[in-house]
Amino acid sequence: MQTLVTPASPEAIRQAGQLLRQGQIAAIPTETVYGIAADAQNGGAVGKIFAAKGRPQDNPLIAHIDSLAMLDGLAAPLPDPLAGQVQALAAAFWPGPLTVILPRGPAVADEVCAGLDTVAVRMPSHPVARAVIAACGRPLAAPSANRSGSPSPTTAADVLADMDGRLPLILDGGACEVGVESTVVTLVGAPTLLRPGFITREQLAAVLKTPVALSPAILEKLREGETARSPGMKYKHYAPRAEVTILQGGLEAFAAYAAAHGRPGDYCLCFAGEQASLPLPCVAYGRAGHPEEQARALFRALRALDEAGAVRAFARCPGQDGVGLAVYNRLLRAAAFRVVKL
């Protein structure tokens, strides 16, 4: 298959919508990361996403909508107070980088839900993503447009590096503004944060006017046999080929550890401005204390490690509050939970 990369012009958006209506797949930009889109009501089309990514069938997808009307059929009829919670979150955060897990309805393909009785839904804010949904006229399943387990793509070039020959079309909408996948909160039962993102747990609790629990799977491995209730909960995810180890501690201790343990092929994944203090080649992923900047830069930095031929990488540990929790969660999975406390 030949993969066409094209700017997201009105004609290209129309072409993408036509491909998706015909049961094909296409890569599109969102404000979070690039996604591989398919008609969320067409199981055969959704199956092509899993094939292109090499994604396990038990890993659920997110259905992307461009209006609340598209919830009809995707989600089951929502009773109070659930309907009020959805309306409050939608008013505060949609369009935007928030995914809400709801009881599934009859219109969503089984493949999207990975056998679960729930469906994950979000309304992206990226104008190209919204235009493609409108051009298709159907909700779109759209996980990150990368090989399963590798760093998510935040540019069209990143998508092409992973997906050349695996899908027909990539719409280039520029670099993604947020840089990490959407926040995922479930409203089935007590509100619980399943995946951190740009919308923080504190913001969710303020809108819902109730505490939001934190899933243990954000900071720990899923237990043996435990079901992934959300994308991004698998053990190793977002990982470069380089073996990543997170080092928790100050810059001086980090530099000493890298000097003592480093060998040819090793890199430091550091904060911007720290390179001169470190004994190994460096790739930076944003400034210390600026989690939004770190989020935008993290996946590109992980890919840069591979492009540099890194064998191992010692990573500076981000904060774990607010958006920092999202950065730490992605880095923790990229490191397969390898953490050294200095």
Side-chain angles (χ1 to χ4, degrees):
M1 180 189 301
Q2 183 177 1
T3 298
L4 173 66
V5 182
T6 182
S9 65
E11 174 55 27
I13 290 169
R14 186 200 64 78
Q15 180 184 359
Q18 183 177 24
L19 279 172
L20 294 167
R21 284 196 305 273
Q22 293 171 348
Q24 298 300 316
I25 59 177
I28 64 172
T30 79
E31 72 277 19
T32 57
V33 299
Y34 275 72
I36 301 179
D39 179 354
Q41 297 173 329
N42 182 333
V46 175
K48 295 176 183 178
I49 294 176
F50 287 94
K53 285 177 62 70
R55 184 184 178 99
Q57 296 282 338
D58 63 348
N59 202 358
L61 308 180
I62 296 170
H64 293 65
I65 61 176
D66 72 343
S67 68
L68 288 176
M70 273 193 175
L71 275 177
D72 292 343
L74 279 185
L78 303 177
D80 289 327
L82 182 56
Q85 290 177 321
V86 172
Q87 290 169 359
L89 290 177
F93 303 119
W94 279 358
L98 175 67
T99 293
V100 181
I101 293 183
L102 301 167
R104 65 173 290 188
V108 62
D110 290 340
E111 291 81 354
V112 175
C113 302
L116 301 174
D117 58 2
T118 55
V119 62
V121 185
R122 92 174 183 97
M123 186 186 296
S125 63
H126 197 292
V128 174
R130 294 176 61 77
V132 172
I133 297 169
C136 178
R138 300 185 181 105
L140 299 179
S144 56
N146 57 303
R147 299 284 188 98
S148 185
S150 66
S152 300
T154 55
T155 68
D158 291 342
V159 180
L160 185 64
D162 275 13
M163 289 292 151
D164 193 12
R166 290 175 168 259
L167 46 72
L169 181 65
I170 300 170
L171 293 186
D172 188 348
C176 298
E177 181 180 358
V178 172
V180 293
E181 297 83 355
S182 59
T183 301
V184 179
V185 63
T186 181
L187 296 180
V188 178
T192 302
L193 184 67
L194 299 184
R195 182 176 72 183
F198 197 77
I199 306 300
T200 67
R201 178 188 184 190
E202 294 77 14
Q203 289 175 301
L204 295 172
V207 169
L208 293 172
K209 295 180 172 55
T210 188
V212 174
L214 190 71
S215 169
I218 289 174
L219 298 176
E220 302 171 6
K221 306 172 191 176
L222 285 176
R223 294 185 295 271
E224 187 69 29
E226 187 177 358
T227 299
R229 305 293 299 183
S230 162
M233 297 180 76
K234 291 294 187 178
Y235 165 62
K236 187 177 180 183
H237 213 43
Y238 320 114
R241 291 187 295 275
E243 179 185 280
V244 177
T245 300
I246 300 170
L247 305 183
Q248 290 186 339
L251 178 59
E252 185 176 345
F254 180 94
Y257 186 98
H261 295 84
R263 54 182 187 246
D266 290 352
Y267 274 69
C268 290
L269 183 63
C270 66
F271 299 129
E274 295 179 344
Q275 294 92 325
S277 303
L278 297 173
L280 298 174
C282 295
V283 172
Y285 74 102
R287 291 173 294 165
H290 291 75
E292 292 86 358
E293 188 176 304
Q294 295 164 12
R296 282 192 294 272
L298 178 62
F299 289 141
R300 178 88 289 280
L302 293 175
R303 286 177 174 266
L305 289 172
D306 283 344
E307 292 161 5
V311 176
R312 298 190 305 170
F314 303 120
R316 290 277 276 140
C317 187
Q320 297 174 36
D321 296 326
V323 177
L325 181 62
V327 179
Y328 182 65
N329 167 264
R330 304 317 192 271
L331 194 55
L332 192 61
R333 280 171 163 72
F337 293 85
R338 281 183 296 270
V339 180
V340 174
K341 294 185 178 181
L342 302 175

